[in-house]
């Protein structure tokens, strides 16, 4: 029985990545994470299990009351789409289950408080009810109101939009890395909302680190082709990292010392490294390489990137 009802969000990954996490809201899900060192419970996803099985979890008899079909998630709202006259489909990143799409009813009416809590870039605790196709958000409590400060600043907004678009893609169909992507995304939006770092640096760091979590490790310390740590001069798109003089091929992009240092800084989230960089164009040039790298490996063009190409 356990196999039949295994949650589809929790497909196994060949290897997991462990990275330093951004400061953000508490994301540890006690049900999924369990005590340190314990194997994650794969059958505990409340979203994909038949109602009868869910109802038996607490020892009660099967019922179809709303309470038994309700569950809670902490989510980052990545985007919304209009639905019908006054509803919206909300696309969220949840700390426990990765990508989540749900209906929020009546939120396009100006009087809706729920709507304000489900704007893009908000982090909220939401209650949802299972539906036949899409689940429905019934309640939302704001945890971090990042929407207003981000939307008020065009630079922050364009970079946050790129982060949301990449997050939506990277988080698809993989519950194993959900909490890592959630923490990274929450940290990036926090930095944009609070202006703790330049928007460009926040996005570049997000791109490098989200790709690592998704399995596309970016090598910044040694040549991706031969492993040497000497004479590193270029960036290889296909190799996913830097290459040495000997291994550089046609098509590899030359990297200046400042660009190399910038790449290392954003890939590891070492902000102090970025402060020592003199070339003011290093961030912009590495950013262009990273955006191309993300689109090339994910085989997808991100709409929000076009906006950045135009403004940078
Ligand atoms: Zn080499």
């Amino acid at each position: 029985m356990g196999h039949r009802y295994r949650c589809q969000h929790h497909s196994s990954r060949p290897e997991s990545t462990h990275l330093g996490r951004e400061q953000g809201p508490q994301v540890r899900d006690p049900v999924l994470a369990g005590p340190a060192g314990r194997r994650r419970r794969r059958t505990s996803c409340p979203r994909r299990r038949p109602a009868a099985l869910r109802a038996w979890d607490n020892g009660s008899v099967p019922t179809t009351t709303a309470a038994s079909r309700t569950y809670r998630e902490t989510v980052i709202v990545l985007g919304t789409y209009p639905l019908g006259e006054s509803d919206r489909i909300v696309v969220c990143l949840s700390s426990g289950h990765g990508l989540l799409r749900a209906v929020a009813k009546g939120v396009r009416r100006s009087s809706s408080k729920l709507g304000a809590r489900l704007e893009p870039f908000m982090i909220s605790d939401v209650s949802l009810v299972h539906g036949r196709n899409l689940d429905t958000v019934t309640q939302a409590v704001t945890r971090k109101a990042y929407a207003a400060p981000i939307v008020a600043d065009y630079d922050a907004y364009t970079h946050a939009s790129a982060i949301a678009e990449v997050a939506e893609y990277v988080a698809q169909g993989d519950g194993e890395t959900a909490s890592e992507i959630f923490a990274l995304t929450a940290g990036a939006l926090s930095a944009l909302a609070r202006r703790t770092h330049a928007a460009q640096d926040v996005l570049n760091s997000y791109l490098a680190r989200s790709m690592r979590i998704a399995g596309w490790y970016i090598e910044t310390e040694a040549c991706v082709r031969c492993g040497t740590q000497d004479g590193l001069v270029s960036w290889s798109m296909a190799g996913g990292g830097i290459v040495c003089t000997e291994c550089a091929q046609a098509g590899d992009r030359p990297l200046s010392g400042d660009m190399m240092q910038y790449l290392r800084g954003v890939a590891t989230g070492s902000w102090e490294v970025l402060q020592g960089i003199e070339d003011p164009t290093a961030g912009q040039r590495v950013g262009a390489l990273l955006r191309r790298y993300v689109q090339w490996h994910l085989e997808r063009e991100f709409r929000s990137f076009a906006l950045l190409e135009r403004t940078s």
Side-chain angles (χ1 to χ4, degrees):
M1 192 171 72
H3 286 288
R4 284 179 58 202
Y5 298 130
R6 177 165 291 179
C7 173
Q8 291 172 2
H9 296 104
H10 296 154
S11 58
S12 60
R13 289 176 59 77
E15 60 187 66
S16 62
T17 50
H18 298 280
L19 296 166
R21 292 180 183 184
E22 292 276 349
Q23 288 295 311
Q26 183 58 256
V27 295
R28 189 173 162 84
D29 183 328
V31 177
L32 284 170
R38 215 177 80 188
R39 198 162 169 270
R40 287 179 182 196
R41 286 169 59 192
R42 292 271 171 97
T43 54
S44 58
C45 171
R47 295 179 57 225
R48 293 287 179 192
R49 304 170 69 194
L53 193 66
R54 283 197 306 275
W56 283 105
D57 283 353
N58 55 10
S60 64
V61 293
T63 60
T64 53
T65 61
S68 69
R69 294 184 289 123
T70 301
Y71 64 99
R72 288 173 177 217
E73 293 279 352
T74 300
V75 300
I76 301 170
V77 181
L78 300 177
T80 62
Y81 304 95
L83 178 72
E85 288 281 304
S86 58
D87 305 342
R88 271 198 189 119
I89 290 177
V90 185
V91 182
C92 305
L93 186 60
S94 95
S95 57
H97 296 96
L99 202 65
L100 191 152
R101 285 187 178 84
V103 177
K105 289 185 175 159
V107 291
R108 277 156 67 209
R109 296 193 189 104
S110 55
S111 59
S112 171
K113 284 181 183 164
L114 185 62
R117 292 164 189 162
L118 296 172
E119 293 286 337
F121 317 128
M122 295 294 268
I123 300 183
S124 298
D125 288 329
V126 294
S127 297
L128 301 108
V129 175
H130 287 277
R132 196 168 294 167
N133 297 313
L134 284 171
D135 298 348
T136 301
V137 180
T138 54
Q139 281 182 353
V141 177
T142 302
R143 270 203 180 194
K144 304 283 178 186
Y146 293 149
I150 287 176
V151 171
D153 180 289
Y154 183 75
D155 199 34
Y157 175 75
T158 49
H159 288 80
S161 299
I163 286 169
E165 204 179 348
V166 172
E168 182 176 343
Y169 195 79
V170 170
Q172 277 185 87
D174 193 343
E176 286 289 294
T177 56
S179 66
E180 272 182 281
I181 290 286
F182 183 94
L184 187 69
T185 308
L189 294 179
S190 164
L192 289 176
R194 298 169 204 267
R195 320 268 191 272
T196 46
H197 305 290
Q200 167 184 268
D201 299 344
V202 174
L203 173 63
N204 289 341
S205 186
Y206 184 84
L207 294 180
R209 291 198 279 172
S210 62
M211 287 300 278
R212 283 190 182 200
I213 294 171
W216 281 276
Y217 182 85
I218 294 178
E219 177 60 64
T220 58
E221 297 303 322
C223 172
V224 288
R225 299 208 175 100
C226 73
T228 184
Q229 296 185 339
D230 301 319
L232 302 166
V233 291
S234 298
W235 161 259
S236 163
M237 186 80 76
I242 51 179
V243 287
C244 72
T245 328
E246 298 289 314
C247 300
Q249 299 171 354
D252 291 345
R253 298 302 182 98
L255 289 180
S256 68
D258 274 351
M259 287 171 75
M260 194 82 74
Q261 199 180 337
Y262 182 91
L263 181 63
R264 286 186 182 128
V266 291
T268 55
S270 310
W271 305 107
E272 65 282 358
V273 171
L274 305 188
Q275 284 165 4
I277 293 169
E278 289 176 5
D279 178 4
T281 66
Q284 197 185 95
R285 287 152 74 193
V286 170
L289 292 180
L290 284 171
R291 291 197 295 275
R292 236 170 281 152
Y293 174 78
V294 168
Q295 296 189 121
W296 194 78
H297 280 280
L298 297 182
E299 297 177 344
R300 185 198 156 94
E301 282 194 15
F302 291 103
R303 277 174 293 126
S304 52
F305 285 9
L307 218 53
L308 296 166
E309 307 294 350
R310 253 174 267 150
T311 52
S312 62

